[in-house]
Amino acid sequence: MSVHTGRHFLQIPGPTHVPDRVLRAIDRPTLDHRGPEFAALGHEVLAGLKPVFQTRHPVIIYPASGTGAWEAALVNTLSPGDRVLMYETGQFAVLWRRMAGRLGLEVDFIPGDWRRGADPAAIEARLTQDRAHAIKAVCVVHNETSTGAVTRVPEIRRALDRTGHPALLMVDTISSLASIAYRMDEWGVDVTVGGSQKGLMLPPGLSFNAVNDKALRAAKSARLPRSYWNWEEMLAANEAGFFPYTPATNLLYGLREALHMLQEEGLENVFARHARHSEATRRAVRAWGLEILCAEPAEYSNSLTAVVMPEGHDADRVREIALERFDMSLGTGLGKLQGKVFRVGHLGHFNDLMLAGSLCGVEMGLALAGVPIRKAGVQAALDFLASAASQGKG
Ligand SMILES: Cc1ncc(COP(=O)(O)O)c(C=O)c1O
């Protein structure tokens, strides 16, 4: 293993770079999580998360990775044998479906080709067929991290409304929160699942459920066993700024700082920055002569771009070279995309020159791996970034 100098380029689509400000905030003596000082921190982060989810409803914080928040969303609202409708956008949808099955739910899984978001028309068709309202929840992944395709959540909401179907709408925003526009209340989402380690610029270890009144009503009669994930106990303790068990105290210091940073930049500017970096990345991919995995331009992800390898070339070889030679981590192809794509993360604490450096590493890595490309990708991205800068965009 060679010795590297300078900063590692962590270009996976999460965990993302943790800003120095957030690292400094975490680096503090641990405090008594049942003492008066903690309550102020608890209140501040619980309130400060709401604008990030664009909700006036409670946001629950778990000391868990995103998978925990997936489970919490299901076990708090559903009963054994309940039917849920899910859509195969990619590997994360597959994993959430597997979890639902393990918990004893009946999953109606609409197949997808891993190149686009969930199809509102297909969901509407299933809901129309379900006259008895057996389906209790529709669960979609907003930004499918394995493919770089976004689901148009407002259109899924309209599909529910047009059919008059009462199912809950649950959305996984683990790789879209604080990166891609998301408006829980305006879009009529009942449960939002989030995580700390991507757009929120924190280390892994916190995850979230934002829950509206309809979801809370469902929780009253839901019968799946739940203990650690129980919303009711959590919300009761949160009233006073506390948690029913030991919270991840130092990560909450980091969360407070990250929320300040997002507020200083302004969420709309955060979204515009992510849009600019994703557009620059796509221009690079096209100029290299490679294919973007997401097949629907209206559904391109602003958090990451998955790049398809030409036949006979291994994406993991490109990743290996980028790591060994340039100290850059790129995202691997997940599930059935292993070896076929690599993913460039461009979310979180990130700027134009970090993106430029990353794309240089990708272009050199591709060339060293013998992938036939035009060496024009970096230039295309730089031209776009420079023109956006001259127009004052983002
Ligand atoms: C969209 C999405 N959902 C769920 C998860 C699972 O979260 P975790 O790995 O934090 O448990 C991830 C992780 O990357 C994700 O990207």
Side-chain angles (χ1 to χ4, degrees):
M1 176 110 190
S2 40
V3 173
H4 293 294
T5 56
R7 285 229 171 168
H8 177 63
F9 274 69
L10 183 66
Q11 296 321 129
I12 58 174
T16 60
H17 294 285
V18 178
D20 290 350
R21 264 177 74 175
V22 172
L23 290 173
R24 297 293 94 81
I26 292 169
D27 180 10
R28 290 185 58 181
T30 305
L31 82 171
D32 171 9
H33 64 285
R34 310 239 184 243
E37 203 192 323
F38 183 86
L41 173 64
H43 279 305
E44 188 178 347
V45 291
L46 289 164
L49 276 167
K50 292 183 185 193
V52 178
F53 285 83
Q54 301 271 298
T55 186
R56 58 184 178 80
H57 297 291
V59 181
I60 285 165
I61 307 175
Y62 292 110
S65 84
T67 303
W70 264 350
E71 182 162 338
L74 299 176
V75 297
N76 275 287
T77 52
L78 300 165
S79 299
D82 273 356
R83 186 164 286 278
V84 295
L85 181 59
M86 293 178 151
Y87 194 100
E88 186 192 2
T89 44
Q91 179 69 1
F92 289 102
V94 166
L95 293 177
W96 202 9
R97 173 234 181 143
R98 186 180 73 180
M99 172 187 277
R102 285 174 176 172
L103 291 171
L105 299 167
E106 293 291 326
V107 185
D108 192 348
F109 200 47
I110 304 178
D113 67 359
W114 294 42
R115 299 198 69 166
R116 60 202 84 232
D119 177 7
I123 288 180
E124 184 164 347
R126 290 292 169 108
L127 293 173
T128 306
Q129 283 164 12
D130 180 34
R131 289 207 190 80
H133 294 166
I135 295 169
K136 300 300 177 205
V138 176
C139 305
V140 291
V141 177
H142 183 214
N143 183 71
E144 177 53 76
T145 325
S146 63
T147 65
V150 168
T151 287
R152 289 171 269 164
V153 176
E155 291 188 37
I156 308 290
R157 175 75 256 168
R158 283 195 281 278
L160 279 149
D161 292 346
R162 264 197 300 271
T163 53
H165 201 292
L168 293 166
L169 177 57
M170 302 199 198
V171 180
D172 169 345
T173 64
I174 287 175
S175 59
S176 57
L177 194 71
S179 311
I180 301 173
Y182 180 76
R183 307 180 204 287
M184 170 158 169
D185 292 357
E186 190 185 316
W187 294 356
V189 177
D190 300 304
V191 183
T192 305
V193 173
S196 58
Q197 74 271 29
K198 306 202 189 226
L200 277 179
M201 309 177 287
L202 291 164
L206 296 180
S207 58
F208 314 100
N209 275 179
V211 294
N212 74 6
D213 296 341
K214 184 172 171 184
L216 288 172
R217 276 196 302 278
K220 294 243 178 282
S221 55
R223 285 178 291 101
L224 275 178
R226 57 187 186 268
S227 172
Y228 187 76
W229 308 116
N230 196 327
W231 286 345
E232 210 177 336
E233 283 169 24
M234 190 57 114
L235 291 172
N238 285 173
E239 287 276 320
F242 292 108
F243 287 75
Y245 39 71
T246 315
T249 40
N250 284 50
L251 284 179
L252 298 181
Y253 283 135
L255 174 59
R256 177 165 64 185
E257 192 64 22
L259 292 171
H260 287 164
M261 290 179 70
L262 290 171
Q263 202 184 12
E264 284 163 24
E265 186 177 356
L267 263 190
E268 293 308 316
N269 295 329
V270 170
F271 299 149
R273 170 166 58 80
H274 284 78
R276 182 171 83 245
H277 291 156
S278 66
E279 177 59 28
T281 305
R282 289 189 294 271
R283 287 183 186 222
V285 176
R286 290 193 200 100
W288 287 324
L290 298 177
E291 198 183 348
I292 295 161
L293 179 67
C294 179
E296 171 55 69
E299 296 174 344
Y300 282 147
S301 167
N302 289 344
S303 319
L304 74 132
T305 302
V307 182
V308 182
M309 282 290 95
E311 264 316 298
H313 292 272
D314 180 5
D316 285 335
R317 183 67 197 130
V318 177
R319 292 178 49 253
E320 259 169 38
I321 291 172
L323 183 60
E324 276 166 22
R325 303 290 290 271
F326 309 117
D327 195 22
M328 177 168 67
S329 296
L330 294 168
T332 186
L334 295 174
K336 69 179 188 183
L337 296 172
Q338 178 83 49
K340 297 191 168 70
V341 305
F342 65 85
R343 295 170 300 144
V344 184
H346 34 69
L347 75 164
H349 185 58
F350 204 51
N351 63 32
D352 288 11
L353 292 189
M354 290 163 85
L355 177 66
S358 308
L359 294 174
C360 287
V362 176
E363 186 165 308
M364 291 189 286
L366 286 163
L368 286 169
V371 179
I373 54 159
R374 285 191 300 274
K375 289 185 187 160
V378 169
Q379 191 60 54
L382 298 186
D383 289 346
F384 174 74
L385 291 173
S387 90
S390 73
Q391 292 164 35
K393 279 193 195 150

